[in-house]
Amino acid sequence: MIAAVSQSFVLRAHLLWWNDDPFFAGQSAQISVPDGAMAVGADGRIAWVGEAANLPNDYTAWPEVDRRGTVVLPGFIDAHLHFPQSAIIGAYGTDLLHWLDTYTFPEESRFGDQAHAASIAAIFADTLLRYGVTSACVFSTIHPVALEELAAAFHSRGMGLLSGKTAMDRNAIPTLHDTAQSAYDDAKVLLEALEPQYDRFGYVVTPRFAITSTEAQLDVCGSLHAEFPHTRMQTHINESAREIATVAQLFPNDASYLDVYDRFGLVTDRSLFAHGIHTTEAEMARMAEAGAAVVHCPTSNTFLGSGLFNPGANRAAGVNIGIGCDIGGGTHFSPFVTMQEAYKVARFHDQSLTAAETYYWHTLGNARAMKTNREAGSLAAGKWADFIVLSDPDDDPIAALRLAHAETVEQRLFAYQFFAPQIQTWTRGIQRT
Ligand code: GUN
Ligand code: ZN
């Protein structure tokens, strides 16, 4: 990590961001300023952004950070991944439930140990920064200490974090079970301690999924989410065939998987549902009505063989879409790899995602899904100065051949999904990598 003191400056570069979903809003959603300037205040926030020629007098005396020749985007946001799964990426096996039982639950059991949690949290946060991710919505474990270490690691790097203690009181392994009561009590203590301590931390009510929570636990999660109306809610849904069949057995009186969550007040405009591959039309309609988001996790879905998420069907139903790497079911931290896989998965539905569409998902789209779009997701005055400086890879002759075909910035960004660029990552106006 590059240590630096926050100070005001004017960044010069080709600035590019999205202020709306380009799939629906078209070309006007994309703001591209080839000879751009961005004034960043000592408070770590964007003070002004626009054409360099129009830089107001207030900022002309600020020192210049010259990155002309690069493209600067808002920092990437990841809407779904698991920090305690950093060590089990690419573990051989069969489907989701086998992978959870064999690798995930034993690994997550280790996170009651503070030193272990702190060491993985540091590696996890550093890795995200290396790949240009400046804020994220993250799963921790049942252990309060794991969330405390994760929050401290993100804070010390200037990153934004949404997370919560995972609630799971059945169907895992005994060392990874809490109770309905402890899930409620611990969450409240953590929320009230961490939110005042860290200005970029937001609490997320986190029942792992319907299989690992009793009705009593889902009930207290719904109560927490209602009692603290700013909290987000994250869980998993409709990921694999065996998972869906198990939920139907455990909750025989609910018409659908989503209905289980809905019955406990967990389907709101602050809800994030990971995967949503096999979601029915009725479930999509309900998610759209509630303003909930589905989070597409393509490398996880292909690795575990869970299925092929359908962007078109979710868009047609009006569901908000986010995107995440879902480490460790997912196989790479890099948003470029995640976007590449999203492109491939969409092709199986005869759909083709443009660079604008995938980069929008990984910036403002995720901020909207996570309800952090007032603070992050685009290069707009008032938001945190979270941004990434991208330049062509310098050691890859095949990448050079491919990028020679890129005539427009959109074509360059599209190719970066397959030939990742060099990345410098800044959070709160400070260069971190
Ligand atoms: N469903 C419940 N828990 C998990 C998890 O850790 N990873 C994935 N991919 N799906 C889940
Ligand atoms: Zn997950």
Side-chain angles (χ1 to χ4, degrees), residues 82 85 96 99-100 104 108 208-209 236 239 275 300 304 326:
H82 299 249
Q85 297 176 9
L96 167 70
W99 177 83
L100 287 172
T104 315
E108 291 192 13
R208 182 178 206 118
F209 66 160
H236 298 86
E239 181 176 0
H275 305 295
S300 172
L304 292 170
D326 192 31

Side-chain angles (χ1 to χ4, degrees), residues 115-144:
H116 182 69
S119 123
I120 302 291
I123 294 169
F124 178 80
D126 284 342
T127 304
L128 287 173
L129 286 176
R130 185 144 52 85
Y131 290 115
V133 178
T134 53
S135 59
C137 187
V138 182
F139 264 67
S140 182
T141 64
I142 64 160
H143 312 98

Side-chain angles (χ1 to χ4, degrees), residues 313-387:
N314 281 275
R315 283 166 163 164
V319 180
N320 299 323
I321 301 175
I323 191 164
C325 71
D326 192 31
I327 291 298
T331 52
H332 210 292
F333 278 86
S334 170
F336 295 103
V337 176
T338 304
M339 293 190 291
Q340 171 187 146
E341 200 78 348
Y343 180 86
K344 294 176 186 170
V345 166
R347 285 303 309 134
F348 281 93
H349 294 292
D350 202 16
Q351 298 165 28
S352 297
L353 301 170
T354 64
E357 289 165 23
T358 53
Y359 282 72
Y360 162 78
W361 278 348
H362 243 309
T363 55
L364 187 65
N366 274 349
R368 285 178 167 177
M370 289 158 53
K371 298 287 180 290
T372 55
N373 51 307
R374 287 178 56 191
E375 297 275 309
S378 65
L379 303 182
K383 294 193 182 189
W384 292 115
D386 291 352
F387 60 90

Side-chain angles (χ1 to χ4, degrees), residues 101 104-109 168 170-177:
D101 289 339
T104 315
F105 295 153
E107 180 67 16
E108 291 192 13
S109 299
M168 45 195 295
R170 63 166 168 175
N171 291 329
I173 50 180
T175 47
L176 210 54
H177 286 161

Side-chain angles (χ1 to χ4, degrees), residues 190-199 201:
L190 287 162
L191 184 161
E192 287 172 347
L194 297 177
E195 287 187 344
Q197 199 175 348
Y198 302 130
D199 60 356
F201 173 80

Side-chain angles (χ1 to χ4, degrees), residues 79-82 137-139 166-168 204-213 218 221 232-239 243 247 257-258 260-262 266-268 270-276 287 292-297 326:
H80 184 82
L81 73 171
H82 299 249
C137 187
V138 182
F139 264 67
T166 306
M168 45 195 295
V204 189
V205 176
T206 306
R208 182 178 206 118
F209 66 160
I211 295 178
T212 48
S213 286
L218 292 172
C221 287
R232 285 69 163 180
M233 193 292 303
Q234 62 178 348
T235 190
H236 298 86
I237 197 167
N238 288 322
E239 181 176 0
E243 170 215 18
V247 171
Y257 197 157
L258 188 72
V260 175
Y261 295 132
D262 214 2
L266 297 168
V267 182
T268 72
R270 292 163 288 123
S271 303
L272 296 120
F273 292 97
H275 305 295
M287 286 174 70
V294 64
V295 185
H296 179 22
C297 303
D326 192 31

